Amino acid sequence: MKGLLLRWLILSCAIMVAAYFFTGIQVKDFGTAIFAALVLGILNAFFRPILLILTLPINILTLGLFTFVINALLLMMTSGLIGGLVVTSFWSALLASLIISVVSWLLSSFINGRGRVQSLDIELNKRRGDRWE
């Protein structure tokens, strides 16, 4: 449960980052971003799998890039449901969905299933002179 709440907070922060970088996305306040993240998560849970299956041929042809179009459509649907979130155009939604996906992926990559922050430990061994493996 802790991991779910942490990912919800990360999605809220990603929405705020997208609103900061693009003028086509406007968020009233952080509370609106939290509510928008909740609605976007619900829409992603119910509609995204159906849309991915229906658009599978075009998604294969575009090597998965059409997924960003689906994310943009879901973001526009979220803005239609949330009063404090305004998405002015499809292109703004597309760029914002790209930013939201990247920020969410980066921040979520440090969180394990139990909601704890994890780090990546790399061990290097020195072999034969100056060569590291």
Side-chain angles (χ1 to χ4, degrees):
M1 188 64 150
K2 185 178 176 185
L4 179 67
L5 293 175
L6 198 53
R7 283 185 178 89
W8 183 22
L9 182 65
I10 288 171
L11 183 59
S12 302
C13 291
I15 290 171
M16 291 299 288
V17 167
Y20 178 77
F21 283 117
F22 298 113
T23 58
I25 307 292
Q26 298 170 0
V27 180
K28 183 178 175 184
D29 56 2
F30 192 70
T32 304
I34 289 176
F35 189 57
L38 175 68
V39 171
L40 187 60
I42 291 170
L43 289 176
N44 276 335
F46 289 112
F47 293 119
R48 190 167 186 243
I50 296 167
L51 291 173
L52 285 174
I53 290 172
L54 290 175
T55 61
L56 189 61
I58 194 165
N59 214 349
I60 290 172
L61 286 175
T62 61
L63 301 175
L65 292 177
F66 194 76
T67 305
F68 291 115
V69 174
I70 293 171
N71 290 344
L73 292 173
L74 291 172
L75 185 63
M76 290 182 75
M77 286 175 63
T78 303
S79 72
L81 295 172
I82 307 295
L85 176 68
V86 177
V87 179
T88 57
S89 68
F90 173 75
W91 296 109
S92 297
L94 188 65
L95 292 173
S97 72
L98 179 67
I99 291 294
I100 290 170
S101 298
V102 168
V103 169
S104 294
W105 173 73
L106 280 175
L107 293 178
S108 294
S109 65
F110 295 109
I111 298 170
N112 63 12
R114 295 184 179 190
R116 295 185 181 153
V117 177
Q118 62 186 8
S119 62
L120 178 64
D121 296 327
I122 300 174
E123 184 178 320
L124 296 174
N125 297 321
K126 189 170 184 178
R127 308 223 181 193
R128 292 187 225 159
D130 293 333
R131 186 174 167 195
W132 291 87
E133 293 181 359

